[in-house]
Amino acid sequence: YEILVVGFLWIGLSLFMKKRSDLVGSGIFFRLFAVGYFGFRFFVEFIKPVHPLIGGLTAIQWTSAIVVLGYGVSLLRLMRKA
């Protein structure tokens, strides 16, 4: 299932970047991919039988939340400038 999500994410972002060619070269493709993938990983971890680390979340969920928040803020700043 994960490879399908990554494939669809890659295709969707490729189509988006073709339409927004003004954003090429500023690292937005990677940031969008990271936000999409780690957002997916955050929610997938809820269905796995794992033990929470801190605050009811696993280590990968904490990592995912940090990546999504960090790159999300970065993307908002870059897109406002474009």
Side-chain angles (χ1 to χ4, degrees):
Y1 63 92
E2 189 167 344
I3 194 68
L4 290 174
V5 170
V6 170
F8 285 125
L9 185 59
W10 187 271
I11 291 168
L13 290 175
S14 296
L15 294 173
F16 173 76
M17 292 305 286
K18 282 184 183 180
K19 290 184 178 188
R20 293 292 311 263
S21 60
D22 58 316
L23 301 176
V24 174
S26 59
I28 288 185
F29 186 88
F30 175 77
R31 290 176 182 140
L32 286 170
F33 183 82
V35 167
Y37 178 75
F38 282 102
F40 163 74
R41 291 299 319 158
F42 181 83
F43 290 107
V44 164
E45 289 297 313
F46 282 113
I47 62 173
K48 287 184 165 186
V50 294
H51 301 289
L53 184 65
I54 299 171
L57 300 177
T58 64
I60 189 64
Q61 286 175 312
W62 279 108
T63 303
S64 297
I66 291 167
V67 169
V68 168
L69 288 173
Y71 278 145
V73 169
S74 175
L75 280 168
L76 289 174
R77 288 181 183 160
L78 282 172
M79 292 194 152
R80 285 183 186 162
K81 290 180 183 178

PDB file of all heavy atoms in Angstrom, residues 44-64:
ATOM      1  N   VAL A  44      -0.905   6.415   9.237  1.00  0.00           N
ATOM      2  CA  VAL A  44      -0.760   4.968   9.132  1.00  0.00           C
ATOM      3  C   VAL A  44      -0.329   4.363  10.466  1.00  0.00           C
ATOM      4  O   VAL A  44      -0.745   3.256  10.821  1.00  0.00           O
ATOM      5  CB  VAL A  44       0.254   4.601   8.022  1.00  0.00           C
ATOM      6  CG1 VAL A  44       0.728   3.164   8.130  1.00  0.00           C
ATOM      7  CG2 VAL A  44      -0.358   4.836   6.658  1.00  0.00           C
ATOM      8  N   GLU A  45       0.474   5.081  11.203  1.00  0.00           N
ATOM      9  CA  GLU A  45       0.962   4.565  12.483  1.00  0.00           C
ATOM     10  C   GLU A  45      -0.154   4.326  13.494  1.00  0.00           C
ATOM     11  O   GLU A  45       0.017   3.535  14.419  1.00  0.00           O
ATOM     12  CB  GLU A  45       2.004   5.509  13.082  1.00  0.00           C
ATOM     13  CG  GLU A  45       3.312   5.502  12.335  1.00  0.00           C
ATOM     14  CD  GLU A  45       4.014   4.156  12.355  1.00  0.00           C
ATOM     15  OE1 GLU A  45       4.121   3.546  13.440  1.00  0.00           O
ATOM     16  OE2 GLU A  45       4.437   3.700  11.274  1.00  0.00           O
ATOM     17  N   PHE A  46      -1.302   4.969  13.317  1.00  0.00           N
ATOM     18  CA  PHE A  46      -2.416   4.751  14.240  1.00  0.00           C
ATOM     19  C   PHE A  46      -3.026   3.360  14.087  1.00  0.00           C
ATOM     20  O   PHE A  46      -3.646   2.854  15.016  1.00  0.00           O
ATOM     21  CB  PHE A  46      -3.502   5.812  14.059  1.00  0.00           C
ATOM     22  CG  PHE A  46      -3.171   7.127  14.695  1.00  0.00           C
ATOM     23  CD1 PHE A  46      -2.938   8.249  13.908  1.00  0.00           C
ATOM     24  CD2 PHE A  46      -3.082   7.257  16.068  1.00  0.00           C
ATOM     25  CE1 PHE A  46      -2.633   9.471  14.481  1.00  0.00           C
ATOM     26  CE2 PHE A  46      -2.772   8.471  16.657  1.00  0.00           C
ATOM     27  CZ  PHE A  46      -2.548   9.577  15.855  1.00  0.00           C
ATOM     28  N   ILE A  47      -2.878   2.744  12.920  1.00  0.00           N
ATOM     29  CA  ILE A  47      -3.478   1.424  12.711  1.00  0.00           C
ATOM     30  C   ILE A  47      -2.502   0.289  13.002  1.00  0.00           C
ATOM     31  O   ILE A  47      -2.889  -0.860  12.973  1.00  0.00           O
ATOM     32  CB  ILE A  47      -4.052   1.283  11.277  1.00  0.00           C
ATOM     33  CG1 ILE A  47      -2.961   1.427  10.220  1.00  0.00           C
ATOM     34  CG2 ILE A  47      -5.167   2.271  11.049  1.00  0.00           C
ATOM     35  CD1 ILE A  47      -3.436   1.123   8.814  1.00  0.00           C
ATOM     36  N   LYS A  48      -1.253   0.621  13.292  1.00  0.00           N
ATOM     37  CA  LYS A  48      -0.259  -0.401  13.614  1.00  0.00           C
ATOM     38  C   LYS A  48      -0.300  -0.726  15.111  1.00  0.00           C
ATOM     39  O   LYS A  48      -0.537   0.145  15.933  1.00  0.00           O
ATOM     40  CB  LYS A  48       1.145   0.096  13.269  1.00  0.00           C
ATOM     41  CG  LYS A  48       1.430   0.134  11.801  1.00  0.00           C
ATOM     42  CD  LYS A  48       2.864   0.550  11.623  1.00  0.00           C
ATOM     43  CE  LYS A  48       3.349   0.283  10.228  1.00  0.00           C
ATOM     44  NZ  LYS A  48       4.782   0.556  10.126  1.00  0.00           N
ATOM     45  N   PRO A  49      -0.031  -1.975  15.452  1.00  0.00           N
ATOM     46  CA  PRO A  49       0.009  -2.353  16.869  1.00  0.00           C
ATOM     47  C   PRO A  49       1.377  -2.010  17.485  1.00  0.00           C
ATOM     48  O   PRO A  49       2.263  -2.853  17.557  1.00  0.00           O
ATOM     49  CB  PRO A  49      -0.212  -3.862  16.837  1.00  0.00           C
ATOM     50  CG  PRO A  49       0.327  -4.288  15.507  1.00  0.00           C
ATOM     51  CD  PRO A  49       0.079  -3.125  14.578  1.00  0.00           C
ATOM     52  N   VAL A  50       1.541  -0.766  17.879  1.00  0.00           N
ATOM     53  CA  VAL A  50       2.807  -0.322  18.468  1.00  0.00           C
ATOM     54  C   VAL A  50       2.541   0.333  19.820  1.00  0.00           C
ATOM     55  O   VAL A  50       1.412   0.691  20.144  1.00  0.00           O
ATOM     56  CB  VAL A  50       3.554   0.675  17.552  1.00  0.00           C
ATOM     57  CG1 VAL A  50       3.989  -0.017  16.283  1.00  0.00           C
ATOM     58  CG2 VAL A  50       2.699   1.871  17.242  1.00  0.00           C
ATOM     59  N   HIS A  51       3.602   0.522  20.560  1.00  0.00           N
ATOM     60  CA  HIS A  51       3.485   1.167  21.861  1.00  0.00           C
ATOM     61  C   HIS A  51       3.878   2.636  21.735  1.00  0.00           C
ATOM     62  O   HIS A  51       4.938   2.947  21.212  1.00  0.00           O
ATOM     63  CB  HIS A  51       4.377   0.458  22.879  1.00  0.00           C
ATOM     64  CG  HIS A  51       4.028  -0.979  23.040  1.00  0.00           C
ATOM     65  ND1 HIS A  51       2.877  -1.398  23.669  1.00  0.00           N
ATOM     66  CD2 HIS A  51       4.648  -2.106  22.623  1.00  0.00           C
ATOM     67  CE1 HIS A  51       2.818  -2.719  23.648  1.00  0.00           C
ATOM     68  NE2 HIS A  51       3.888  -3.173  23.013  1.00  0.00           N
ATOM     69  N   PRO A  52       3.038   3.519  22.223  1.00  0.00           N
ATOM     70  CA  PRO A  52       3.342   4.950  22.151  1.00  0.00           C
ATOM     71  C   PRO A  52       4.594   5.305  22.953  1.00  0.00           C
ATOM     72  O   PRO A  52       4.906   4.660  23.944  1.00  0.00           O
ATOM     73  CB  PRO A  52       2.120   5.623  22.752  1.00  0.00           C
ATOM     74  CG  PRO A  52       1.081   4.588  22.890  1.00  0.00           C
ATOM     75  CD  PRO A  52       1.750   3.267  22.845  1.00  0.00           C
ATOM     76  N   LEU A  53       5.261   6.333  22.493  1.00  0.00           N
ATOM     77  CA  LEU A  53       6.475   6.793  23.151  1.00  0.00           C
ATOM     78  C   LEU A  53       6.148   7.892  24.159  1.00  0.00           C
ATOM     79  O   LEU A  53       6.277   7.718  25.352  1.00  0.00           O
ATOM     80  CB  LEU A  53       7.460   7.302  22.093  1.00  0.00           C
ATOM     81  CG  LEU A  53       8.825   7.744  22.560  1.00  0.00           C
ATOM     82  CD1 LEU A  53       9.601   6.581  23.127  1.00  0.00           C
ATOM     83  CD2 LEU A  53       9.582   8.353  21.393  1.00  0.00           C
ATOM     84  N   ILE A  54       5.693   9.026  23.649  1.00  0.00           N
ATOM     85  CA  ILE A  54       5.369  10.184  24.484  1.00  0.00           C
ATOM     86  C   ILE A  54       4.065  10.785  23.980  1.00  0.00           C
ATOM     87  O   ILE A  54       3.879  10.954  22.781  1.00  0.00           O
ATOM     88  CB  ILE A  54       6.475  11.252  24.415  1.00  0.00           C
ATOM     89  CG1 ILE A  54       7.802  10.686  24.920  1.00  0.00           C
ATOM     90  CG2 ILE A  54       6.093  12.494  25.208  1.00  0.00           C
ATOM     91  CD1 ILE A  54       8.983  11.598  24.674  1.00  0.00           C
ATOM     92  N   GLY A  55       3.180  11.139  24.876  1.00  0.00           N
ATOM     93  CA  GLY A  55       1.943  11.812  24.495  1.00  0.00           C
ATOM     94  C   GLY A  55       1.024  10.979  23.622  1.00  0.00           C
ATOM     95  O   GLY A  55       0.253  11.512  22.845  1.00  0.00           O
ATOM     96  N   GLY A  56       1.130   9.661  23.703  1.00  0.00           N
ATOM     97  CA  GLY A  56       0.264   8.794  22.911  1.00  0.00           C
ATOM     98  C   GLY A  56       0.711   8.607  21.475  1.00  0.00           C
ATOM     99  O   GLY A  56       0.016   7.970  20.694  1.00  0.00           O
ATOM    100  N   LEU A  57       1.863   9.169  21.099  1.00  0.00           N
ATOM    101  CA  LEU A  57       2.372   9.056  19.735  1.00  0.00           C
ATOM    102  C   LEU A  57       3.674   8.258  19.718  1.00  0.00           C
ATOM    103  O   LEU A  57       4.439   8.267  20.679  1.00  0.00           O
ATOM    104  CB  LEU A  57       2.624  10.444  19.140  1.00  0.00           C
ATOM    105  CG  LEU A  57       1.421  11.371  19.039  1.00  0.00           C
ATOM    106  CD1 LEU A  57       1.854  12.729  18.502  1.00  0.00           C
ATOM    107  CD2 LEU A  57       0.343  10.776  18.163  1.00  0.00           C
ATOM    108  N   THR A  58       3.910   7.583  18.593  1.00  0.00           N
ATOM    109  CA  THR A  58       5.153   6.828  18.421  1.00  0.00           C
ATOM    110  C   THR A  58       6.261   7.767  17.938  1.00  0.00           C
ATOM    111  O   THR A  58       6.008   8.927  17.594  1.00  0.00           O
ATOM    112  CB  THR A  58       4.967   5.708  17.392  1.00  0.00           C
ATOM    113  OG1 THR A  58       4.677   6.288  16.115  1.00  0.00           O
ATOM    114  CG2 THR A  58       3.851   4.755  17.805  1.00  0.00           C
ATOM    115  N   ALA A  59       7.473   7.242  17.890  1.00  0.00           N
ATOM    116  CA  ALA A  59       8.611   8.042  17.436  1.00  0.00           C
ATOM    117  C   ALA A  59       8.422   8.527  15.997  1.00  0.00           C
ATOM    118  O   ALA A  59       8.713   9.684  15.678  1.00  0.00           O
ATOM    119  CB  ALA A  59       9.901   7.240  17.560  1.00  0.00           C
ATOM    120  N   ILE A  60       7.920   7.663  15.111  1.00  0.00           N
ATOM    121  CA  ILE A  60       7.726   8.074  13.715  1.00  0.00           C
ATOM    122  C   ILE A  60       6.609   9.110  13.607  1.00  0.00           C
ATOM    123  O   ILE A  60       6.654   9.997  12.755  1.00  0.00           O
ATOM    124  CB  ILE A  60       7.480   6.869  12.780  1.00  0.00           C
ATOM    125  CG1 ILE A  60       7.500   7.288  11.304  1.00  0.00           C
ATOM    126  CG2 ILE A  60       6.182   6.185  13.091  1.00  0.00           C
ATOM    127  CD1 ILE A  60       8.806   7.812  10.803  1.00  0.00           C
ATOM    128  N   GLN A  61       5.618   9.040  14.474  1.00  0.00           N
ATOM    129  CA  GLN A  61       4.566  10.050  14.458  1.00  0.00           C
ATOM    130  C   GLN A  61       5.107  11.403  14.904  1.00  0.00           C
ATOM    131  O   GLN A  61       4.745  12.428  14.334  1.00  0.00           O
ATOM    132  CB  GLN A  61       3.392   9.624  15.330  1.00  0.00           C
ATOM    133  CG  GLN A  61       2.566   8.524  14.698  1.00  0.00           C
ATOM    134  CD  GLN A  61       1.488   8.024  15.614  1.00  0.00           C
ATOM    135  OE1 GLN A  61       1.746   7.731  16.781  1.00  0.00           O
ATOM    136  NE2 GLN A  61       0.276   7.921  15.092  1.00  0.00           N
ATOM    137  N   TRP A  62       5.961  11.410  15.914  1.00  0.00           N
ATOM    138  CA  TRP A  62       6.575  12.669  16.331  1.00  0.00           C
ATOM    139  C   TRP A  62       7.460  13.232  15.212  1.00  0.00           C
ATOM    140  O   TRP A  62       7.425  14.422  14.925  1.00  0.00           O
ATOM    141  CB  TRP A  62       7.398  12.480  17.609  1.00  0.00           C
ATOM    142  CG  TRP A  62       6.531  12.480  18.827  1.00  0.00           C
ATOM    143  CD1 TRP A  62       6.220  11.411  19.604  1.00  0.00           C
ATOM    144  CD2 TRP A  62       5.839  13.600  19.377  1.00  0.00           C
ATOM    145  NE1 TRP A  62       5.376  11.797  20.624  1.00  0.00           N
ATOM    146  CE2 TRP A  62       5.124  13.146  20.507  1.00  0.00           C
ATOM    147  CE3 TRP A  62       5.743  14.938  19.034  1.00  0.00           C
ATOM    148  CZ2 TRP A  62       4.342  13.987  21.296  1.00  0.00           C
ATOM    149  CZ3 TRP A  62       4.953  15.780  19.825  1.00  0.00           C
ATOM    150  CH2 TRP A  62       4.266  15.301  20.928  1.00  0.00           C
ATOM    151  N   THR A  63       8.240  12.364  14.588  1.00  0.00           N
ATOM    152  CA  THR A  63       9.091  12.795  13.478  1.00  0.00           C
ATOM    153  C   THR A  63       8.243  13.332  12.338  1.00  0.00           C
ATOM    154  O   THR A  63       8.550  14.389  11.762  1.00  0.00           O
ATOM    155  CB  THR A  63       9.956  11.620  12.977  1.00  0.00           C
ATOM    156  OG1 THR A  63      10.717  11.112  14.072  1.00  0.00           O
ATOM    157  CG2 THR A  63      10.858  12.043  11.854  1.00  0.00           C
ATOM    158  N   SER A  64       7.176  12.623  12.012  1.00  0.00           N
ATOM    159  CA  SER A  64       6.278  13.050  10.934  1.00  0.00           C
ATOM    160  C   SER A  64       5.645  14.402  11.230  1.00  0.00           C
ATOM    161  O   SER A  64       5.564  15.270  10.364  1.00  0.00           O
ATOM    162  CB  SER A  64       5.184  12.006  10.709  1.00  0.00           C
ATOM    163  OG  SER A  64       5.740  10.788  10.288  1.00  0.00           O
TER     164      SER A  64
END
